[in-house]
Amino acid sequence: MLMEDIVERTLVLVKPDGVQRGLVGEVISRLERRGLRLVAAKFMQVSQELAETHYAIHKGKPFYEGLIRYITSAPVMAMVWEGPNAIAAVRQTMGSTRPTEAAPGSLRHDFALEVGRNLTHASDSVENGQKEVSLWFTPGELIAWQRDTDRWIFE
Ligand code: IDP
Ligand code: MG
């Protein structure tokens, strides 16, 4: 099967706590080690408008206002990663939303304690991955490339 037929793309954010704590490299390193392929990256301050669009699904929930304050409180590292089963693979590497429920060895287990400071975002479905990638990145920012190790990682 061709790589193009099975590839999924996911939006990954290292949230403000991850940036402030110097964990950008740790997150990137774990995704690289996993075998995922980087497609795009930018270090940016999230606007109120982008935060509200990105988290629109949570509007009205008790934690919504705090979540918007959190994601806009300092810069984030926004990235797109791709690979076979990228959605599931990246969410597994991140760990469950609540750090005390995250599997040992996952980022949220290893580096976080509270749900409101859980370091990262990753798209939760193929469809949301597509929507979020186009919300955060322009087509010109997405780099199509062949990696020399692809054939040793993608079956
Ligand atoms: P996810 O980031 O694992 O996909 P979601 O349920 O989509 O989790 O929630 C989005 C983000 O909202 C979480 O990552 C977390 O930062 C925040 N959040 C979710 N539930 C709570 C809560 O109960 N209290 C505070 N923040 C929360
Ligand atoms: Mg989510």
Side-chain angles (χ1 to χ4, degrees):
M1 193 181 265
L2 292 173
M3 172 60 196
E4 284 64 32
D5 297 331
I6 49 172
V7 74
E8 293 179 9
R9 282 182 169 178
T10 180
L11 175 81
V12 171
L13 305 176
V14 183
K15 291 173 175 177
D17 50 336
V19 170
Q20 292 285 349
R21 293 173 60 196
L23 294 171
V24 171
E26 178 75 31
V27 174
I28 291 175
S29 180
R30 286 183 181 217
L31 296 175
E32 283 187 313
R33 270 191 336 206
R34 189 85 198 261
L36 292 146
R37 192 165 66 183
L38 185 62
V39 177
K42 58 182 167 186
F43 185 62
M44 60 187 282
Q45 174 64 47
V46 179
S47 68
Q48 184 75 18
E49 189 191 358
L50 177 58
E52 288 177 5
T53 306
H54 177 73
Y55 280 130
I57 194 164
H58 296 300
K59 192 164 183 165
K61 294 182 186 170
F63 59 85
Y64 175 76
E65 307 292 338
L67 177 57
I68 298 298
R69 274 199 305 277
Y70 168 39
I71 201 72
T72 58
S73 62
V76 304
M77 187 68 173
M79 298 176 278
V80 179
W81 290 84
E82 69 183 1
N85 306 306
I87 299 287
V90 173
R91 285 189 66 94
Q92 184 184 42
T93 292
M94 301 311 175
S96 299
T97 305
R98 296 182 182 282
T100 51
E101 294 167 10
S106 66
L107 278 159
R108 285 165 169 172
H109 170 279
D110 290 355
F111 295 101
L113 291 170
E114 296 221 81
V115 67
R117 294 291 182 272
N118 62 357
L119 289 179
T120 55
H121 168 83
S123 307
D124 64 7
S125 68
V126 173
E127 192 194 355
N128 285 337
Q130 288 166 350
K131 278 190 203 153
E132 291 176 356
V133 167
S134 56
L135 175 65
W136 287 75
F137 289 89
T138 64
E141 290 173 326
L142 306 173
I143 310 299
W145 61 297
Q146 296 300 312
R147 187 176 50 180
D148 291 348
T149 51
D150 281 349
R151 67 198 179 98
W152 303 109
I153 299 168
F154 304 151
E155 187 178 350

